[in-house]
Amino acid sequence: MSYNFAFWAGGDELDPLSVYKQFGNGEHVAGIASLSRERVLAAIADHLAGWPWDGQILQPPGTNPDGVPAFDVSIGEQNVEFVGYGWEPEHANAIIDAMHALGLRLYDPQVDERFA
C-alpha cells in the first residue's frame, strides 16, 4: 500500500485538494510558486545524505535496493511528490524536513490536510 506526500509553496488561500488534483492533471496552478529542480535535488542530497536514489526511487540507508522502504519521487514545475511504500515515521519526517528547508509545505491527500 502506498502513501503520498505532496509539497508546494504558496497558494495558502486555495483549496489544497483542488490544487493537488490540478497537479495530478498536469495543470499549472496560479498562486503556487515555481520550483527549481536543482534546488530540490540539492535539498535531497543535503538533507537525505546517504539515502540511495536512482533519480526515481529514493530509499533510506541500509534498505534492500529491491525492497522497502522506498519512495517514488516526482519533481514537477510547482510541486514535489513522494509516494512511500513500507516507510516508518522517521523516514517521512526526514523527507518533510528536507522539503520544509525549501519553504515547501506538506499536503497529505489521504487526510486532506496541508501542514505549516
Side-chain angles (χ1 to χ4, degrees), residues 2 7 9 12 21 45-46 59 67 71 82 91 94:
S2 65
F7 299 88
D12 296 342
K21 287 179 178 179
D46 291 346
Q59 294 183 286
F71 295 88
F82 295 80
H91 304 138

Side-chain angles (χ1 to χ4, degrees), residues 1-51:
M1 185 158 109
S2 65
Y3 201 95
N4 297 42
F5 302 88
F7 299 88
W8 65 83
D12 296 342
E13 71 287 353
L14 302 174
D15 175 59
L17 179 57
S18 176
V19 170
Y20 181 72
K21 287 179 178 179
Q22 287 176 279
F23 288 147
N25 291 331
E27 298 175 33
H28 180 86
V29 182
I32 304 297
S34 294
L35 290 178
S36 161
R37 181 175 178 82
E38 291 74 25
R39 287 191 66 223
V40 173
L41 296 175
I44 290 171
D46 291 346
H47 295 277
L48 302 171
W51 287 48

Side-chain angles (χ1 to χ4, degrees), residues 47-73:
H47 295 277
L48 302 171
W51 287 48
W53 190 32
D54 65 5
Q56 184 72 36
I57 302 299
L58 177 69
Q59 294 183 286
T63 302
N64 176 340
D66 296 321
V68 294
F71 295 88
D72 188 351
V73 182

